Amino acid sequence: MTGAVPGKIAFQGRPGAYSDLACRTAYPGWETVPCPTFADTIAAVHDGRADLAMLACENNLAGRVPDIHALLPEAGLHIVGEHFQRVEHCLIGVAGATIEQARRLHTHPVALGQVRDLVRDLHLTPVAEFDTAGSAELIAEWGRPEDVAVASELAAELNGLTILRRNVEDATHNTTRFYVAAREPLPLPEDGPVMTTVLFNVRNEPGALYKVLGGFATNGVNMTRLESYMLDGSFAATQFLLDVEGRPDRPNLKQALAELEFFSSRFNILGVYPQSPFRQQRKAAAA
């Protein structure tokens, strides 16, 4: 949808958050709509405040995003795309501040875990905040050179702050994957690689999951992701979210999904959507 008529796209976080940056990168020219929670981001699409939602689902360092996995199955939206956003952390301070003056580092807890080397080398006191971009807003409000934040370049720009050091993350491959969701599914191109996301439950019987997943192997379907969830307070992980390559109307995936549906007690396709160019590039590089 990158070439579509510009609309509105909602994200969870404050202006300048990495989700905001993902929206602007994937949909240049679109108006971004900040939302306080993932639930409000989904509601923004349902009630017409936004045409699309950019929903962070996993990070290659921090793992899955729990909130969205709890909400997505009941969201009533369709996944229509995916986007991979490189996370490039910046050390940010107020105008005129220097690194030597920095004493306290404010950012989201996940980001704190990704800048341990910086905290150690600069002898900073880490302070967990609710959001990376929100941390930038806080230090701009305080105006103290001893308080710095880790956030995006966009957050620094929007809050009139100074970038003291770029790319302060410990790992240079830090990347977040997003689902793009809409009220209705979008037409797929006639050709090109496609992803399918499926939610299913398995019956509580021996070998049920093995039988479900075996259908993908025997039909030559590449499974890229499998997540399990506890239901209704039970410790039995019976609900699963699955990402696979391919179209449900093509013989191999159609047969694999038929086997999945036979052995599962609940089966729902959450979206069929084009693969991100990032995914295709990574596959080509690994070949």
Side-chain angles (χ1 to χ4, degrees), residues 11 22 49 62 132 143 163 215:
F11 67 93
R49 285 180 286 142
T132 54
I163 295 177

Side-chain angles (χ1 to χ4, degrees), residues 6-266:
K8 295 182 179 181
I9 181 167
F11 67 93
Q12 185 276 322
R14 298 293 301 157
Y18 287 102
S19 294
D20 188 5
L21 182 61
C23 291
R24 297 172 189 240
T25 302
Y27 296 88
W30 283 52
E31 179 182 343
T32 61
V33 181
C35 300
T37 65
F38 281 115
D40 190 58
T41 307
I42 291 168
V45 176
H46 277 298
D47 63 27
R49 285 180 286 142
D51 304 293
L52 299 176
M54 181 71 73
L55 304 170
C57 58
E58 60 181 328
N59 177 272
N60 64 343
L61 297 181
R64 75 183 185 188
V65 179
D67 287 351
I68 198 57
H69 288 87
L71 292 168
L72 193 59
E74 308 301 329
L77 298 180
H78 299 269
I79 300 173
V80 297
E82 64 173 351
H83 175 70
F84 292 81
Q85 184 65 46
R86 170 81 165 84
V87 178
E88 298 180 276
H89 289 314
C90 294
L91 181 65
I92 298 169
V94 297
T98 65
I99 289 180
E100 290 72 25
Q101 293 173 297
R103 296 293 180 270
R104 293 175 294 273
L105 175 62
H106 304 262
T107 194
H108 188 277
V110 171
L112 281 176
Q114 298 170 350
V115 293
R116 292 190 177 96
D117 292 346
L118 177 77
V119 171
R120 182 194 65 236
D121 294 345
L122 297 184
H123 307 289
L124 299 173
T125 299
V127 183
E129 305 289 358
F130 67 96
D131 186 56
T132 54
S135 302
E137 291 179 349
L138 287 175
I139 67 166
E141 178 183 340
W142 296 332
R144 301 191 295 252
E146 61 269 26
D147 287 288
V148 294
V150 161
S152 68
E153 180 181 4
L154 177 62
E157 177 185 333
L158 292 177
N159 290 283
L161 299 170
T162 298
I163 295 177
L164 303 175
R165 184 180 294 178
R166 296 177 183 273
N167 297 109
V168 296
E169 61 274 9
D170 299 334
T172 58
H173 57 274
N174 188 355
T175 304
T176 298
R177 180 180 177 234
F178 294 82
Y179 288 131
V180 180
R183 287 183 293 274
E184 300 293 338
L186 298 175
L188 284 172
E190 290 297 324
D191 52 15
V194 166
M195 298 296 297
T196 297
T197 297
V198 179
L199 182 78
F200 67 94
N201 297 358
V202 294
R203 301 187 180 112
N204 287 318
E205 59 186 41
L209 182 59
Y210 174 80
K211 295 172 184 175
V212 165
L213 300 183
F216 293 97
T218 56
N219 287 283
V221 176
N222 186 32
M223 183 190 313
T224 63
R225 185 162 176 243
L226 178 67
E227 297 280 358
S228 61
Y229 310 88
M230 292 183 292
L231 292 176
D232 301 323
S234 168
F235 281 95
T238 57
Q239 181 166 280
F240 297 86
L241 186 143
L242 177 71
D243 285 337
V244 295
E245 296 181 347
R247 300 167 180 252
D249 59 350
R250 301 293 165 85
N252 59 340
L253 183 53
K254 185 176 182 179
Q255 180 60 36
L257 292 177
E259 294 183 36
L260 184 154
E261 188 171 13
F262 179 80
F263 289 108
S264 66
S265 55
R266 178 189 181 189

